[in-house]
Short mmCIF file of all heavy atoms in Angstrom, two decimals:
data_model
loop_
_atom_site.label_atom_id
_atom_site.label_comp_id
_atom_site.label_asym_id
_atom_site.label_seq_id
_atom_site.Cartn_x
_atom_site.Cartn_y
_atom_site.Cartn_z
N PRO A 108 -7.09 -28.21 -25.87
CA PRO A 108 -6.63 -28.10 -27.26
C PRO A 108 -5.29 -27.32 -27.32
O PRO A 108 -5.04 -26.35 -26.53
CB PRO A 108 -7.72 -27.38 -28.07
CG PRO A 108 -8.94 -27.60 -27.29
CD PRO A 108 -8.53 -27.57 -25.85
N SER A 109 -4.39 -27.77 -28.17
CA SER A 109 -2.98 -27.21 -28.19
C SER A 109 -3.02 -25.80 -28.62
O SER A 109 -2.09 -25.00 -28.26
CB SER A 109 -2.15 -27.96 -29.21
OG SER A 109 -2.70 -27.94 -30.45
N GLU A 110 -4.06 -25.29 -29.26
CA GLU A 110 -4.09 -23.85 -29.63
C GLU A 110 -4.62 -22.94 -28.59
O GLU A 110 -4.49 -21.70 -28.60
CB GLU A 110 -4.89 -23.64 -31.04
CG GLU A 110 -6.31 -23.94 -30.80
CD GLU A 110 -6.69 -25.43 -31.13
OE1 GLU A 110 -5.80 -26.33 -31.15
OE2 GLU A 110 -7.93 -25.73 -31.14
N ASP A 111 -5.34 -23.45 -27.58
CA ASP A 111 -5.80 -22.68 -26.53
C ASP A 111 -4.78 -22.38 -25.45
O ASP A 111 -3.97 -23.25 -25.25
CB ASP A 111 -7.02 -23.43 -25.83
CG ASP A 111 -8.26 -23.44 -26.71
OD1 ASP A 111 -8.30 -22.93 -27.80
OD2 ASP A 111 -9.21 -24.19 -26.31
N TYR A 112 -4.95 -21.29 -24.81
CA TYR A 112 -4.04 -20.92 -23.72
C TYR A 112 -4.55 -21.45 -22.42
O TYR A 112 -5.70 -21.50 -22.15
CB TYR A 112 -3.89 -19.40 -23.62
CG TYR A 112 -2.93 -18.82 -24.50
CD1 TYR A 112 -3.12 -18.68 -25.89
CD2 TYR A 112 -1.65 -18.32 -24.05
CE1 TYR A 112 -2.16 -18.13 -26.71
CE2 TYR A 112 -0.64 -17.78 -24.90
CZ TYR A 112 -0.93 -17.72 -26.26
OH TYR A 112 -0.01 -17.12 -27.13
N LEU A 113 -3.62 -21.81 -21.56
CA LEU A 113 -3.88 -22.15 -20.14
C LEU A 113 -3.08 -21.22 -19.27
O LEU A 113 -1.87 -21.13 -19.30
CB LEU A 113 -3.42 -23.58 -19.80
CG LEU A 113 -3.61 -24.11 -18.37
CD1 LEU A 113 -5.04 -23.94 -17.87
CD2 LEU A 113 -3.09 -25.50 -18.26
N CYS A 114 -3.75 -20.37 -18.50
CA CYS A 114 -3.19 -19.41 -17.68
C CYS A 114 -3.63 -19.73 -16.21
O CYS A 114 -4.72 -19.75 -15.86
CB CYS A 114 -3.74 -18.02 -17.99
SG CYS A 114 -3.06 -16.71 -16.99
N THR A 115 -2.54 -20.01 -15.48
CA THR A 115 -2.70 -20.44 -14.05
C THR A 115 -2.30 -19.35 -13.10
O THR A 115 -1.17 -18.83 -13.16
CB THR A 115 -2.04 -21.79 -13.73
OG1 THR A 115 -2.59 -22.76 -14.62
CG2 THR A 115 -2.19 -22.18 -12.33
N LEU A 116 -3.15 -19.00 -12.07
CA LEU A 116 -2.82 -18.07 -11.09
C LEU A 116 -2.30 -18.89 -9.94
O LEU A 116 -2.94 -19.92 -9.46
CB LEU A 116 -4.14 -17.31 -10.61
CG LEU A 116 -4.91 -16.66 -11.76
CD1 LEU A 116 -6.13 -15.93 -11.07
CD2 LEU A 116 -4.14 -15.74 -12.60
N THR A 117 -1.19 -18.44 -9.40
CA THR A 117 -0.52 -19.19 -8.27
C THR A 117 -0.05 -18.25 -7.14
O THR A 117 0.32 -17.13 -7.43
CB THR A 117 0.71 -19.98 -8.80
OG1 THR A 117 1.25 -20.70 -7.67
CG2 THR A 117 1.74 -19.12 -9.43
N GLU A 118 -0.22 -18.72 -5.94
CA GLU A 118 0.30 -17.97 -4.77
C GLU A 118 1.85 -18.18 -4.59
O GLU A 118 2.47 -17.40 -3.89
CB GLU A 118 -0.41 -18.45 -3.56
CG GLU A 118 0.03 -19.73 -2.92
CD GLU A 118 -0.43 -20.96 -3.77
OE1 GLU A 118 -1.18 -20.83 -4.77
OE2 GLU A 118 -0.04 -22.13 -3.31
N ARG A 119 2.45 -19.05 -5.31
CA ARG A 119 3.82 -19.35 -5.09
C ARG A 119 4.64 -18.51 -5.97
O ARG A 119 4.54 -18.37 -7.15
CB ARG A 119 4.12 -20.84 -5.49
CG ARG A 119 5.55 -21.17 -5.11
CD ARG A 119 5.93 -22.55 -5.52
NE ARG A 119 5.12 -23.67 -5.04
CZ ARG A 119 5.26 -24.95 -5.32
NH1 ARG A 119 6.22 -25.27 -6.10
NH2 ARG A 119 4.44 -25.83 -4.80
N ALA A 120 5.75 -17.90 -5.32
CA ALA A 120 6.69 -17.06 -6.11
C ALA A 120 7.63 -17.96 -6.96
O ALA A 120 7.80 -19.11 -6.52
CB ALA A 120 7.51 -16.22 -5.13
N ASN A 121 8.09 -17.47 -7.97
CA ASN A 121 9.10 -18.30 -8.78
C ASN A 121 10.49 -17.79 -8.49
O ASN A 121 10.65 -16.73 -7.87
CB ASN A 121 8.74 -18.08 -10.28
CG ASN A 121 8.76 -16.73 -10.71
OD1 ASN A 121 9.87 -16.08 -10.92
ND2 ASN A 121 7.59 -16.11 -10.93
N GLU A 122 11.48 -18.48 -8.88
CA GLU A 122 12.84 -18.23 -8.50
C GLU A 122 13.31 -16.91 -9.07
O GLU A 122 14.29 -16.30 -8.44
CB GLU A 122 13.78 -19.40 -9.01
CG GLU A 122 13.94 -19.44 -10.55
CD GLU A 122 14.81 -20.67 -10.91
OE1 GLU A 122 15.08 -21.49 -10.05
OE2 GLU A 122 15.13 -20.69 -12.13
N ASN A 123 12.74 -16.35 -10.07
CA ASN A 123 13.19 -15.12 -10.61
C ASN A 123 12.42 -13.92 -9.95
O ASN A 123 12.74 -12.79 -10.23
CB ASN A 123 12.92 -15.02 -12.20
CG ASN A 123 13.71 -16.08 -12.87
OD1 ASN A 123 14.90 -16.29 -12.57
ND2 ASN A 123 13.11 -16.76 -13.85
N ASN A 124 11.44 -14.23 -9.09
CA ASN A 124 10.55 -13.27 -8.52
C ASN A 124 9.82 -12.37 -9.48
O ASN A 124 9.72 -11.16 -9.26
CB ASN A 124 11.44 -12.41 -7.47
CG ASN A 124 10.49 -11.81 -6.38
OD1 ASN A 124 9.49 -12.32 -6.09
ND2 ASN A 124 10.91 -10.68 -5.90
N TRP A 125 9.47 -13.02 -10.54
CA TRP A 125 8.61 -12.33 -11.55
C TRP A 125 7.18 -12.53 -11.26
O TRP A 125 6.74 -13.56 -10.69
CB TRP A 125 8.97 -12.83 -12.96
CG TRP A 125 10.37 -12.60 -13.46
CD1 TRP A 125 11.29 -11.84 -12.90
CD2 TRP A 125 10.94 -13.22 -14.65
NE1 TRP A 125 12.40 -11.92 -13.70
CE2 TRP A 125 12.24 -12.68 -14.76
CE3 TRP A 125 10.50 -14.07 -15.59
CZ2 TRP A 125 13.15 -13.05 -15.73
CZ3 TRP A 125 11.34 -14.39 -16.61
CH2 TRP A 125 12.64 -13.90 -16.70
N PHE A 126 6.37 -11.49 -11.64
CA PHE A 126 4.96 -11.68 -11.53
C PHE A 126 4.27 -12.65 -12.45
O PHE A 126 3.31 -13.26 -12.19
CB PHE A 126 4.22 -10.31 -11.53
CG PHE A 126 4.27 -9.55 -10.33
CD1 PHE A 126 4.97 -8.35 -10.22
CD2 PHE A 126 3.59 -9.95 -9.19
CE1 PHE A 126 4.98 -7.54 -9.08
CE2 PHE A 126 3.60 -9.27 -7.99
CZ PHE A 126 4.35 -8.05 -7.90
N SER A 127 4.95 -12.89 -13.60
CA SER A 127 4.35 -13.81 -14.54
C SER A 127 5.50 -14.18 -15.54
O SER A 127 6.52 -13.61 -15.68
CB SER A 127 3.26 -13.08 -15.30
OG SER A 127 3.77 -11.93 -16.06
N GLU A 128 5.08 -15.32 -16.26
CA GLU A 128 5.99 -15.79 -17.33
C GLU A 128 5.17 -16.67 -18.27
O GLU A 128 4.24 -17.36 -17.87
CB GLU A 128 7.13 -16.62 -16.74
CG GLU A 128 8.24 -16.90 -17.71
CD GLU A 128 9.43 -17.51 -17.07
OE1 GLU A 128 9.63 -17.54 -15.85
OE2 GLU A 128 10.36 -17.84 -17.85
N PHE A 129 5.57 -16.72 -19.47
CA PHE A 129 4.85 -17.58 -20.52
C PHE A 129 5.84 -18.59 -20.96
O PHE A 129 7.04 -18.36 -20.97
CB PHE A 129 4.25 -16.85 -21.62
CG PHE A 129 5.18 -16.00 -22.49
CD1 PHE A 129 5.94 -16.66 -23.64
CD2 PHE A 129 5.39 -14.70 -22.19
CE1 PHE A 129 6.80 -15.89 -24.34
CE2 PHE A 129 6.36 -13.99 -23.03
CZ PHE A 129 6.95 -14.52 -24.08
N ASP A 130 5.34 -19.72 -21.37
CA ASP A 130 6.07 -20.85 -21.94
C ASP A 130 6.31 -20.62 -23.41
O ASP A 130 5.26 -20.37 -24.05
CB ASP A 130 5.30 -22.13 -21.66
CG ASP A 130 6.09 -23.36 -22.05
OD1 ASP A 130 7.10 -23.24 -22.82
OD2 ASP A 130 5.61 -24.51 -21.68
N GLU A 131 7.51 -20.67 -23.88
CA GLU A 131 7.78 -20.41 -25.34
C GLU A 131 7.46 -21.61 -26.18
O GLU A 131 7.29 -21.47 -27.37
CB GLU A 131 9.25 -20.03 -25.51
CG GLU A 131 9.49 -18.62 -24.83
CD GLU A 131 10.85 -18.11 -25.12
OE1 GLU A 131 11.51 -18.52 -26.14
OE2 GLU A 131 11.36 -17.25 -24.39
N THR A 132 7.32 -22.81 -25.56
CA THR A 132 6.99 -24.00 -26.37
C THR A 132 5.60 -24.36 -26.41
O THR A 132 5.10 -25.04 -27.44
CB THR A 132 7.69 -25.24 -25.79
OG1 THR A 132 7.33 -25.51 -24.47
CG2 THR A 132 9.28 -25.01 -25.80
N GLU A 133 4.73 -23.93 -25.48
CA GLU A 133 3.31 -24.20 -25.46
C GLU A 133 2.61 -22.96 -24.99
O GLU A 133 3.16 -22.19 -24.22
CB GLU A 133 2.99 -25.37 -24.59
CG GLU A 133 3.35 -26.72 -25.11
CD GLU A 133 2.84 -27.85 -24.17
OE1 GLU A 133 1.83 -27.64 -23.50
OE2 GLU A 133 3.46 -28.91 -24.23
N PRO A 134 1.31 -22.80 -25.27
CA PRO A 134 0.59 -21.56 -24.80
C PRO A 134 0.18 -21.64 -23.32
O PRO A 134 -0.97 -21.85 -22.96
CB PRO A 134 -0.63 -21.49 -25.75
CG PRO A 134 -0.87 -22.89 -26.21
CD PRO A 134 0.53 -23.58 -26.20
N ASN A 135 1.17 -21.68 -22.48
CA ASN A 135 0.96 -21.78 -21.00
C ASN A 135 1.53 -20.44 -20.40
O ASN A 135 2.57 -19.98 -20.78
CB ASN A 135 1.73 -22.92 -20.45
CG ASN A 135 1.15 -24.23 -20.94
OD1 ASN A 135 -0.15 -24.43 -21.02
ND2 ASN A 135 1.92 -25.28 -21.23
N ILE A 136 0.80 -20.03 -19.34
CA ILE A 136 1.20 -18.80 -18.64
C ILE A 136 0.91 -19.04 -17.16
O ILE A 136 0.03 -19.67 -16.82
CB ILE A 136 0.36 -17.66 -19.03
CG1 ILE A 136 0.44 -17.28 -20.52
CG2 ILE A 136 0.66 -16.35 -18.20
CD1 ILE A 136 -0.63 -16.32 -21.04
N PHE A 137 1.92 -18.57 -16.25
CA PHE A 137 1.56 -18.56 -14.90
C PHE A 137 1.69 -17.09 -14.33
O PHE A 137 2.56 -16.38 -14.91
CB PHE A 137 2.51 -19.55 -14.07
CG PHE A 137 3.90 -19.25 -13.99
CD1 PHE A 137 4.36 -18.30 -13.02
CD2 PHE A 137 4.79 -19.87 -14.75
CE1 PHE A 137 5.68 -18.06 -12.98
CE2 PHE A 137 6.18 -19.56 -14.68
CZ PHE A 137 6.66 -18.63 -13.80
N ILE A 138 0.89 -16.85 -13.40
CA ILE A 138 0.93 -15.53 -12.81
C ILE A 138 0.88 -15.52 -11.28
O ILE A 138 0.08 -16.27 -10.67
CB ILE A 138 -0.34 -14.71 -13.31
CG1 ILE A 138 -0.27 -14.53 -14.83
CG2 ILE A 138 -0.35 -13.30 -12.60
CD1 ILE A 138 -1.45 -13.86 -15.41
N HIS A 139 1.82 -14.93 -10.67
CA HIS A 139 1.97 -14.82 -9.20
C HIS A 139 0.95 -13.87 -8.75
O HIS A 139 0.90 -12.74 -9.12
CB HIS A 139 3.40 -14.49 -8.80
CG HIS A 139 3.64 -14.48 -7.36
ND1 HIS A 139 4.65 -13.70 -6.70
CD2 HIS A 139 3.06 -15.22 -6.36
CE1 HIS A 139 4.60 -13.92 -5.45
NE2 HIS A 139 3.69 -14.88 -5.27
N THR A 140 0.12 -14.27 -7.74
CA THR A 140 -0.98 -13.48 -7.33
C THR A 140 -0.72 -12.60 -6.04
O THR A 140 -1.55 -11.81 -5.62
CB THR A 140 -2.27 -14.36 -7.07
OG1 THR A 140 -1.98 -15.23 -6.01
CG2 THR A 140 -2.64 -15.03 -8.31
N GLU A 141 0.45 -12.76 -5.48
CA GLU A 141 0.67 -12.05 -4.16
C GLU A 141 1.75 -11.01 -4.44
O GLU A 141 2.58 -11.06 -5.27
CB GLU A 141 1.14 -13.06 -3.12
CG GLU A 141 0.08 -14.05 -2.80
CD GLU A 141 0.42 -15.09 -1.77
OE1 GLU A 141 1.60 -15.18 -1.36
OE2 GLU A 141 -0.41 -15.78 -1.30
N GLY A 142 1.74 -10.01 -3.57
CA GLY A 142 2.70 -8.92 -3.55
C GLY A 142 2.33 -7.72 -4.35
O GLY A 142 3.18 -6.74 -4.50
N TRP A 143 1.14 -7.69 -4.98
CA TRP A 143 0.80 -6.53 -5.79
C TRP A 143 0.68 -5.23 -4.97
O TRP A 143 0.87 -4.13 -5.53
CB TRP A 143 -0.52 -6.88 -6.57
CG TRP A 143 -0.33 -7.87 -7.63
CD1 TRP A 143 -0.61 -9.14 -7.59
CD2 TRP A 143 0.32 -7.66 -8.87
NE1 TRP A 143 -0.17 -9.81 -8.71
CE2 TRP A 143 0.38 -8.84 -9.62
CE3 TRP A 143 0.87 -6.55 -9.51
CZ2 TRP A 143 0.89 -9.05 -10.88
CZ3 TRP A 143 1.40 -6.72 -10.79
CH2 TRP A 143 1.41 -7.88 -11.40
N GLU A 144 0.42 -5.39 -3.77
CA GLU A 144 0.28 -4.16 -2.88
C GLU A 144 1.54 -3.40 -2.80
O GLU A 144 1.52 -2.20 -2.44
CB GLU A 144 -0.29 -4.53 -1.50
CG GLU A 144 0.58 -5.36 -0.66
CD GLU A 144 0.57 -6.88 -0.88
OE1 GLU A 144 -0.09 -7.31 -1.84
OE2 GLU A 144 1.18 -7.57 -0.13
N PHE A 145 2.74 -4.06 -3.09
CA PHE A 145 4.04 -3.40 -2.97
C PHE A 145 4.32 -2.57 -4.21
O PHE A 145 5.26 -1.83 -4.18
CB PHE A 145 5.12 -4.45 -2.65
CG PHE A 145 4.88 -5.05 -1.34
CD1 PHE A 145 4.60 -6.46 -1.31
CD2 PHE A 145 4.98 -4.42 -0.15
CE1 PHE A 145 4.38 -7.09 -0.14
CE2 PHE A 145 4.71 -5.08 1.05
CZ PHE A 145 4.46 -6.43 1.12
N VAL A 146 3.73 -2.83 -5.36
CA VAL A 146 4.00 -2.13 -6.52
C VAL A 146 2.91 -1.21 -7.03
O VAL A 146 3.13 -0.39 -7.90
CB VAL A 146 4.39 -3.12 -7.69
CG1 VAL A 146 5.68 -3.84 -7.37
CG2 VAL A 146 3.33 -4.15 -7.98
N MET A 147 1.76 -1.38 -6.49
CA MET A 147 0.58 -0.59 -6.92
C MET A 147 0.51 0.61 -5.95
O MET A 147 0.42 0.37 -4.76
CB MET A 147 -0.72 -1.31 -6.87
CG MET A 147 -0.79 -2.55 -7.84
SD MET A 147 -0.39 -2.20 -9.58
CE MET A 147 -1.88 -1.25 -9.98
N LEU A 148 0.52 1.88 -6.50
CA LEU A 148 0.54 3.00 -5.64
C LEU A 148 -0.81 3.22 -4.98
O LEU A 148 -0.84 3.73 -3.80
CB LEU A 148 0.98 4.24 -6.49
CG LEU A 148 2.41 4.15 -6.99
CD1 LEU A 148 2.60 5.40 -7.80
CD2 LEU A 148 3.41 3.99 -5.92
N ASP A 149 -1.84 3.01 -5.74
CA ASP A 149 -3.19 3.21 -5.20
C ASP A 149 -3.68 1.88 -4.63
O ASP A 149 -3.13 0.89 -4.90
CB ASP A 149 -4.17 3.68 -6.26
CG ASP A 149 -3.82 5.15 -6.77
OD1 ASP A 149 -3.30 5.86 -6.01
OD2 ASP A 149 -4.02 5.35 -8.09
N LYS A 150 -4.73 2.06 -3.83
CA LYS A 150 -5.40 0.74 -3.33
C LYS A 150 -6.12 0.16 -4.47
O LYS A 150 -7.41 0.28 -4.54
CB LYS A 150 -6.32 1.08 -2.12
CG LYS A 150 -5.63 1.68 -0.95
CD LYS A 150 -4.81 0.63 -0.24
CE LYS A 150 -4.18 1.28 1.01
NZ LYS A 150 -3.20 0.47 1.61
N CYS A 151 -5.45 -0.59 -5.29
CA CYS A 151 -5.98 -1.28 -6.43
C CYS A 151 -6.31 -2.72 -6.11
O CYS A 151 -5.39 -3.38 -5.59
CB CYS A 151 -5.05 -1.09 -7.57
SG CYS A 151 -5.48 -1.94 -9.14
#
């Protein structure tokens, strides 16, 4: 349904090297799942 969000986890980096981005025209989100160990100080 158009009112529901679709959030996709992906291993692929985007050209901006952002961890995530949302679509301004539809409720869509993508999240990059790799590289978190470089920004998280603790073993999270």
Side-chain angles (χ1 to χ4, degrees):
S109 60
E110 65 274 5
D111 291 352
Y112 274 76
L113 175 58
C114 180
T115 300
L116 309 184
T117 179
E118 76 286 358
R119 188 186 302 179
N121 60 76
E122 69 184 9
N123 298 319
N124 203 26
W125 294 350
F126 277 115
S127 62
E128 189 169 355
F129 62 85
D130 187 343
E131 293 187 22
T132 62
E133 290 187 22
N135 295 321
I136 301 167
F137 68 82
I138 299 174
H139 185 206
T140 59
E141 296 181 351
W143 288 102
E144 66 276 10
F145 298 112
V146 295
M147 300 303 294
L148 299 177
D149 294 326
K150 298 285 184 194
C151 176

